[in-house]
Amino acid sequence: MEDYQQMISRQRKWMFYLLAFLVLGWGLTPWKTVFLGLLLGTTLSFYNLWTMQRKISKLGEHSTVTSKSKQRKPNIGTFTRLATGALAAVIALQFEEHFHIISVVLGLMTAYFVILIDYLFKHETE
């Protein structure tokens, strides 16, 4: 369980670094709409990562309990992640002059890239 907590900490740290980089890109470059779209998508992707990690932790706790109670089994929040993606698309389409839609979609995928890169770096060092 300690390895899982360390993994969560590393992934959140990488997401914060990426968000800081995107804020700098938005403030210092002429590509405001691209970086703002990436920032919107990555922020919602970070929220999705956070909720998924929290729900996976709850799922692990639920599976270790051996009680035979009729508690509802926790899920991993697929609907929440899909709804967040739809929210990002609606915001980007509503404010097209501020957000680049393709950047928003790429930003929504950043959490999965962070998970993959974290996995590759972690197994490379072992």
Side-chain angles (χ1 to χ4, degrees):
M1 188 66 161
E2 187 174 321
D3 287 339
Y4 180 69
Q5 294 300 326
Q6 289 174 351
M7 180 192 68
I8 287 174
S9 176
R10 280 192 317 268
Q11 290 172 356
R12 288 180 185 172
K13 185 172 32 171
W14 280 107
M15 289 296 285
F16 278 127
Y17 290 151
L18 183 59
L19 285 169
F21 174 75
L22 293 175
V23 168
L24 287 175
W26 173 67
L28 301 175
T29 65
W31 304 303
K32 304 280 187 206
T33 59
V34 172
F35 277 101
L36 202 56
L38 284 169
L39 193 59
L40 173 66
T42 304
T43 302
L44 292 175
S45 181
F46 181 59
Y47 171 74
N48 285 339
L49 178 69
W50 175 71
T51 57
M52 184 173 56
Q53 290 170 341
R54 193 182 59 177
K55 289 183 182 224
I56 287 173
S57 294
K58 286 182 182 180
L59 184 66
E61 292 170 7
H62 179 75
S63 66
T64 59
V65 175
T66 58
S67 69
K68 304 233 185 221
S69 65
K70 296 287 183 185
Q71 286 182 336
R72 191 176 141 236
K73 184 178 174 184
N75 58 14
I76 58 170
T78 303
F79 180 74
T80 305
R81 289 196 305 276
L82 290 174
T84 306
L87 174 67
V90 167
I91 291 171
L93 291 174
Q94 185 69 31
F95 301 104
E96 287 184 73
E97 65 275 3
H98 298 293
F99 299 104
H100 187 253
I101 186 71
I102 296 174
S103 298
V104 173
V105 172
L106 289 174
L108 283 171
M109 295 187 299
T110 55
Y112 302 107
F113 291 130
V114 166
I115 291 170
L116 178 67
I117 291 169
D118 179 61
Y119 173 80
L120 293 175
F121 277 137
K122 180 65 179 169
H123 284 337
E124 182 182 294
T125 59
E126 290 180 354

